[in-house]
Structure formats: C-alpha cells, structure tokens
Amino acid sequence: DHFYICPGHLKDRGFCTPIVDEAEAAAKKKQEELDREIELIKAEYAEKLKKRKKSKDSKKKEKTTEKEKGKEKENSKDDEDDEDVKAEKEKNEKVSVHNNA
C-alpha cells in the first residue's frame, strides 16, 4: 500500500484529481435545494395546521359556551314561563275568590 510519486507530479495541481461530472454535481446541488425547500414548506404547513386546530378548538369552546348560555336562557325562559303561569293561577284564584264572595 505504498505509492511512489515523483516531485514533479507532487507540484502538478492537475495530477491525481477526481474526475468531476459537472452535470451530476449540478443535479445533486439542485436536489439538495429542493429538499431544503420541501422541508420549509412542510414546516409552514404544520404551523398552519396547528393554527387551524387552535382556532377550531377555540370556536368549539365558544360554541359550547354559547350553547350553555342558550340553555341557560331557555331554562330562565322556562322559569319565567313557570313564574308567569304561577302568577296567572294566583291571579285567577284571587279573582275567583273575589267573584265568589
């Protein structure tokens, strides 16, 4: 595993250099750039999905709170209706008591 190289070849810059296929190197560089760009786009898309999920979650929370508020309003309306019915019955009883007397 020993190679003898003369001093003339050591000074020669073109001696023992790898053969570089420029088209292959350019294609490899272009592929690397595309891979980087793809990774950036994937990261941006993942962020958008997270934002959408957060907004959907917050909208769901708002809807549930609105539904709860709506149920509370319905319950309060029912309570008011019950109160109105009770008041009306009491009024009718008083009127009937006054009419009978």
Side-chain angles (χ1 to χ4, degrees):
D1 293 359
H2 177 68
F3 294 101
Y4 176 77
I5 301 173
C6 68
H9 284 109
L10 289 173
K11 292 179 182 176
D12 185 12
R13 292 187 183 256
F15 177 73
C16 196
T17 57
I19 299 173
V20 179
D21 186 12
E22 291 180 22
E24 185 178 320
K28 187 175 181 180
K29 184 177 180 182
K30 187 174 183 179
Q31 185 64 36
E32 289 175 357
E33 289 175 6
L34 287 174
D35 290 341
R36 279 190 231 125
E37 188 173 338
I38 289 171
E39 290 299 320
L40 289 174
I41 291 172
K42 285 181 180 180
E44 289 175 7
Y45 184 71
E47 288 179 26
K48 286 181 183 180
L49 288 178
K50 287 180 183 178
K51 287 181 182 178
R52 286 181 187 168
K53 187 176 180 181
K54 285 182 181 179
S55 66
K56 284 183 181 180
D57 290 343
S58 64
K59 286 181 182 180
K60 283 183 180 179
K61 287 180 182 178
E62 289 176 10
K63 285 182 181 180
T64 56
T65 55
E66 288 177 8
K67 287 181 181 178
E68 290 174 1
K69 287 179 183 177
K71 288 180 181 177
E72 289 175 3
K73 286 181 182 179
E74 288 176 7
N75 290 339
S76 64
K77 286 181 183 178
D78 291 342
D79 293 342
E80 289 175 5
D81 291 340
D82 292 341
E83 289 175 7
D84 291 340
V85 170
K86 288 179 183 178
E88 218 173 290
K89 285 182 181 180
E90 289 177 12
K91 187 177 180 182
N92 289 336
E93 288 175 4
K94 287 180 182 179
V95 170
S96 64
V97 170
H98 288 290
N99 289 335
N100 291 338

